[in-house]
Amino acid sequence: MPTVPTPTASRRKINYDFVSVASDLLPVWDFVVMLLTPLLANVLYGQFFAMQHYDEAPWKGSDIQAMAAAVLAPFMLYDSQFGSDPERRRGFEMLRSFATRWIKFSAVLLAFGYATRSLDIMPRMWVVVWMLPSFVFTLAARAALARQLRRMETSGVLSQAIAVVGAGPIADRLIKHLLQTQPGKIELLGVFDDRGSRNDGRLFQPKGTLSDLLELGKSRPIDWILVALPATADDRVLSIVHTLKTLAVPVGLAPESVGLKLPNQVINFIGEGLPVTMLADRPIRKWDAVIKKAEDLLLGGIITLLLLPLLAIVVLLIRLDSPGPILFKQRRHAWNNSEFFIYKFRTMRWEPDSAKAAAGIIQQTQKDDPRITKLGNILRKTSIDELPQLFNVLQGDMSLVGPRPHAVNMRTEEQLGHEIVDTYAHRHRVKPGITGWSQVNGSRGATDTVEQLRRRVELDLHYVENWSLWLDIKILFLTALTVVRGNNAY
């Protein structure tokens, strides 16, 4: 039978509140950095760039800009989860999170400079010499703090002592979850229950009563007391809390779903503070949704304008090549499992009375498909046939980057997508894209086999669950390389 590890003499020398306090001092550091780096920029610029004509007059506007930066930085660079979430203090995740905040901060600061015209009298190189050390110093402080916290946790100097009240299934799952997810970072003091030991299937038997826990709290530090009882036992829970309030220790009610195979399990609030356990969430939300929309409209609009001459030439060539419409329209799956008409340049011979099309059966394009015209073959190999989807992006039906929209009623080995993979429709939690994570990872073109479809869904869901602006930029860059190579384009 599993047992709670017997607590040894505590190596802890610092209360775990140190993590929150230390992380909350970062805004103070940001304030100081933004006030002092303009002075450093003046020295560096005068030493290396101004040469013989160094004059401090042009940098008088730095006072206003530095004060604006010092006021904005503590708010815009602050990460409220830096102290509470260990993952936010790890290498790449910390860099990605901070870089995103820094870009937003820089954009607001530059906008302020142009609005107040304080940047008009400041050389552009001086601004670079100012912003670069600011970025380095603010990032270095976070990296140094994160590294020190990791060392303290590993050595046991910084750990959390936790006692569990209430033996039973919830306590069993809670303890197993803590031991699996926080090895070496917590010290379990045991299970305490006034009902004593009973042979009722418990994995972890009590080591004492509430009175024993109160006595233990007098002789050693306790960071958390977690009550592992169902919320419906409110009278008993309130009685336990009343007893434990004699200790200056936070008491929390463990979620009944702890340790269960449920997704997310993040607490959110509805209306007037009603707490709910999140089982699924909108993948791209709040500011991320604004950034994604701006990416589609701004970048999509610029690309469309630049490619208008090419689009006009392709329209003329299709008209001269074969009879039929210029654009091919087809119903595709869209965001929220809805449908839309996708636009592509027509690359096949026009067959208006196709029996299969009338029956709603979609035949995927095959390699060396005889229906493809000579011009269509060129358009497909270069992916130029996909360019009209830029108008789908501007209309809001698609994004530049996202899971590729599959045709409605498309079949793989005579089966629909949701009949093969039960998570197939989860791809539709974000807007479909002209290109996507699966396309730049080799899953491009037709899905002829069940294995190919499963692989594509797996890659698409990775994108849905891990979206970021940086991932979109990476995909767009890799797409350009993939198009040049012409892999699987038919």
Side-chain angles (χ1 to χ4, degrees):
M1 176 178 295
T3 58
V4 178
T6 302
T8 57
S10 178
R11 293 178 295 168
R12 192 183 75 171
K13 305 198 182 293
I14 301 178
N15 188 285
Y16 206 84
D17 288 341
F18 170 81
V19 179
S20 297
V21 173
S23 61
D24 286 343
L25 289 176
L26 289 174
V28 179
W29 171 257
D30 296 339
F31 179 84
V32 173
V33 166
M34 292 303 166
L35 280 182
L36 297 182
T37 46
L39 302 177
L40 176 62
N42 281 348
V43 174
L44 293 176
Y45 187 87
Q47 185 71 28
F48 298 104
F49 298 99
M51 301 303 178
Q52 300 176 0
H53 304 289
Y54 177 68
D55 181 3
E56 290 191 0
W59 297 276
K60 292 297 184 181
S62 66
D63 297 341
I64 299 175
Q65 200 70 7
M67 185 56 65
V71 172
L72 289 172
F75 298 98
M76 298 195 69
L77 300 181
Y78 179 65
D79 185 354
S80 60
Q81 297 181 359
F82 186 88
S84 60
D85 185 357
E87 291 300 320
R88 297 294 278 266
R89 303 196 296 268
R90 301 193 184 279
F92 178 76
E93 177 61 27
M94 181 191 66
L95 177 61
R96 185 189 68 82
S97 175
F98 181 71
T100 300
R101 285 175 168 77
W102 182 267
I103 290 173
K104 295 176 183 177
F105 164 71
S106 300
V108 172
L109 189 61
L110 292 175
F112 173 82
Y114 282 113
T116 59
R117 299 199 171 184
S118 58
L119 286 179
D120 291 351
I121 58 175
M122 297 162 62
R124 298 297 177 260
M125 184 53 67
W126 185 92
V127 176
V128 173
V129 174
W130 169 39
M131 296 296 285
L132 186 58
S134 301
F135 174 79
V136 172
F137 290 148
T138 50
L139 176 61
R142 287 158 173 80
L145 177 59
R147 181 181 180 185
Q148 182 62 28
L149 292 177
R150 287 195 299 270
R151 292 178 61 183
M152 295 170 70
E153 288 174 339
T154 302
S155 64
V157 173
L158 183 64
S159 61
Q160 292 192 89
I162 298 175
V164 177
V165 173
I170 299 177
D172 292 342
R173 296 198 304 270
L174 171 64
I175 293 172
K176 288 172 65 177
H177 177 78
L178 291 174
L179 293 176
Q180 291 172 1
T181 60
Q182 304 290 327
K185 298 180 182 178
I186 61 171
E187 182 182 5
L188 281 170
L189 304 180
V191 180
F192 300 84
D193 197 320
D194 283 340
R195 296 175 299 178
S197 299
R198 294 184 299 174
N199 187 17
D200 57 359
R202 302 170 181 170
L203 293 177
F204 299 98
Q205 295 295 328
K207 67 174 297 182
T209 64
L210 289 185
S211 297
D212 295 325
L213 178 57
L214 294 177
E215 288 298 318
L216 182 65
K218 296 177 183 178
S219 59
R220 61 152 302 142
I222 301 176
D223 292 294
W224 274 100
I225 298 175
L226 299 179
V227 179
L229 295 173
T232 52
D234 53 343
D235 289 338
R236 187 174 173 219
V237 170
L238 290 174
S239 174
I240 290 173
V241 173
H242 179 75
T243 301
L244 295 176
K245 274 190 173 181
T246 58
L247 296 176
V249 177
V251 180
L253 181 65
E256 295 181 53
S257 60
V258 64
L260 298 178
K261 295 180 180 179
L262 295 175
N264 256 18
Q265 298 195 53
V266 174
I267 301 299
N268 208 331
F269 298 90
I270 297 177
E272 298 296 327
L274 173 66
V276 295
T277 300
M278 298 295 296
L279 300 179
D281 201 355
R282 194 176 292 120
I284 306 175
R285 54 198 291 267
K286 296 183 179 178
W287 277 105
D288 286 342
V290 173
I291 293 172
K292 180 73 166 172
K293 187 67 175 180
E295 172 193 336
D296 289 336
L297 293 180
L298 295 177
L299 190 55
I302 292 172
I303 294 174
T304 302
L305 289 175
L306 293 175
L307 294 179
L308 278 179
L310 175 61
L311 296 176
I313 293 172
V314 175
V315 167
L316 178 61
L317 292 175
I318 294 176
R319 175 61 67 195
L320 296 175
D321 180 66
S322 62
I326 302 297
L327 293 178
F328 168 75
K329 295 197 303 181
Q330 187 182 60
R331 281 195 309 134
R332 297 283 180 105
H333 290 297
W335 182 57
N336 265 351
N337 224 22
S338 60
E339 297 176 6
F340 76 108
F341 280 100
I342 195 172
Y343 302 136
K344 298 178 71 173
F345 281 128
R346 181 175 58 84
T347 58
M348 293 186 178
R349 294 180 179 83
W350 177 239
E351 299 178 4
D353 299 323
S354 171
K356 287 187 176 181
I361 300 174
I362 305 300
Q363 179 182 351
Q364 294 193 65
T365 309
Q366 306 296 322
K367 194 169 185 179
D368 300 322
D369 197 312
R371 298 172 296 167
I372 301 176
T373 64
K374 291 182 179 180
L375 175 62
N377 189 49
I378 297 174
L379 296 180
R380 284 174 174 269
K381 286 187 178 297
T382 58
S383 294
I384 292 176
D385 64 315
E386 308 283 357
L387 292 182
Q389 290 162 44
L390 288 167
F391 296 104
N392 286 120
V393 172
L394 297 179
Q395 288 175 351
D397 295 325
M398 295 179 65
S399 287
L400 289 175
V401 182
R404 283 295 295 160
H406 292 170
V408 176
N409 294 326
M410 185 194 77
R411 296 175 182 271
T412 300
E413 295 187 1
E414 302 303 322
Q415 297 180 80
L416 296 173
H418 66 86
E419 296 173 343
I420 299 173
V421 185
D422 60 355
T423 56
Y424 176 82
H426 295 185
R427 305 167 68 251
H428 307 147
R429 297 175 66 209
V430 299
K431 287 183 180 180
I434 297 178
T435 184
W437 185 239
S438 59
Q439 280 64 48
V440 299
N441 280 278
S443 184
R444 188 165 178 251
T447 52
D448 300 318
T449 66
V450 168
E451 289 73 21
Q452 287 176 338
L453 181 64
R454 288 198 176 111
R455 174 59 176 164
R456 181 166 298 185
V457 172
E458 178 186 347
L459 291 168
D460 287 339
L461 294 185
H462 174 84
Y463 172 83
V464 171
E465 299 298 337
N466 297 278
W467 178 88
S468 70
L469 177 61
W470 308 110
L471 182 59
D472 273 6
I473 294 173
K474 178 180 179 179
I475 291 172
L476 289 172
F477 175 76
L478 293 176
T479 296
L481 298 179
T482 304
V483 169
V484 170
R485 294 167 183 160
N487 295 334
N488 296 338
Y490 52 83

